[in-house]
Amino acid sequence: SGYSFSTDAMGFVYAVGTVGNQAKGATFQTTPGALQFPTTGLRGALVFLQKLSADGSQVLYSAGLGSTNYSPAAKADSSGNVYVAFAGTVPGYQSISGCDPLFISKISAQGDRFLYSTMVSSGCGPAALDIDPDGDVYVAEVGATEVLVSKLGPSGKVFWTYTLTDTRTPAGLDGGSDVAYDDRFISIAAGPDRSVYVAASPSYVYRIDPTGTQLLYRSAIVTMQNQTISAISVDPQGNAY
């Protein structure tokens, strides 16, 4: 299953997703020299990263990054480095119990090494990711009772984390009374002034100031029926779509 797709300045296409179950993960084909995650004893589904030629005719590399029980997110920069976010397990870390940690990893343009891998927090659901031209990374993560929004620098250092505490109640995890977020879609976009826009389904949009200290607004897009928002993007003037 493919969850996230991106392109670089040369038009190469990057696909990130998961291989459905442990048995299929054990037979997933990686290319020589690319990252390979041990496929035995996976805690969840294998997370794969593939780079395709601009015309889609060739797989240039196929890598295994880790394992997860949730949907991963990724974006490539202009040089072909790929930033990947998922709650799960990466090389060098073994999860013990509870929610798996959220990792932000930067993968080399050749798909052969981690340039960094940073554990941000304990995640309990899907994640969304965006990058800006400076190489800073913005990630939204579904926690146990909230949505966490973080900014990381080019080296993987966490600059700040902002908690959206009004997103839902703990009961929402089990289909109970959701305040706002319904566990379906989460999306994030960095604005031109480096403020951060987050969309949380069914119909909520948040904007956080560039320092990660203030919620600039919280809006609900509601007409005759709730709108189900699955993605967000921001133009050079700071308008959100």
Side-chain angles (χ1 to χ4, degrees), residues 30 36-37 53 57 62 82 90 100 107 113 129 138 143 152 174 181 199 207 213 231 233 239:
T30 56
Q36 299 185 43
F37 185 75
S53 59
S57 64
S62 180
V82 186
V90 299
D100 290 323
I107 313 299
R113 66 190 189 279
L129 177 146
Y138 304 83
L152 289 75
D174 303 313
Y181 183 61
R207 184 183 178 194
T213 59
S233 184
N239 300 305

Side-chain angles (χ1 to χ4, degrees), residues 84-168:
V84 183
F86 62 88
T89 304
V90 299
Y93 180 91
Q94 292 296 322
S95 182
I96 299 174
S97 62
C99 292
D100 290 323
L102 176 75
F103 287 96
I104 311 299
S105 299
K106 183 178 181 180
I107 313 299
S108 66
Q110 297 75 34
D112 60 351
R113 66 190 189 279
F114 288 94
L115 300 179
Y116 70 69
S117 191
T118 300
M119 187 176 73
V120 178
S121 56
S122 294
C124 293
L129 177 146
D130 195 17
I131 57 176
D132 66 23
D134 301 324
D136 294 329
V137 180
Y138 304 83
V139 61
E141 172 204 3
V142 179
T145 60
E146 69 284 305
V147 170
L148 304 174
V149 182
S150 300
K151 178 180 179 179
L152 289 75
S155 65
K157 179 182 178 181
V158 179
F159 284 157
W160 53 257
T161 296
Y162 188 91
T163 303
L164 298 172
T165 56
D166 68 332
T167 50
R168 62 184 189 184

Side-chain angles (χ1 to χ4, degrees), residues 41 70 115 214:
Y70 308 102
L115 300 179
Q214 182 181 359

Side-chain angles (χ1 to χ4, degrees), residues 176-189:
S177 57
D178 290 329
V179 176
Y181 183 61
D182 63 4
D183 291 330
R184 294 188 63 198
F185 300 107
I186 189 78
S187 184
I188 192 169

Side-chain angles (χ1 to χ4, degrees), residues 12-56:
F12 295 116
V13 180
Y14 301 83
V16 172
T18 61
V19 182
N21 56 48
Q22 294 188 24
K24 291 181 179 179
T27 61
F28 181 77
Q29 296 297 308
T30 56
T31 49
L35 287 167
Q36 299 185 43
F37 185 75
T39 55
T40 57
L42 290 177
R43 182 176 170 87
L46 176 71
V47 178
F48 70 81
L49 167 63
Q50 293 183 324
K51 179 178 180 179
L52 287 74
S53 59
D55 63 0

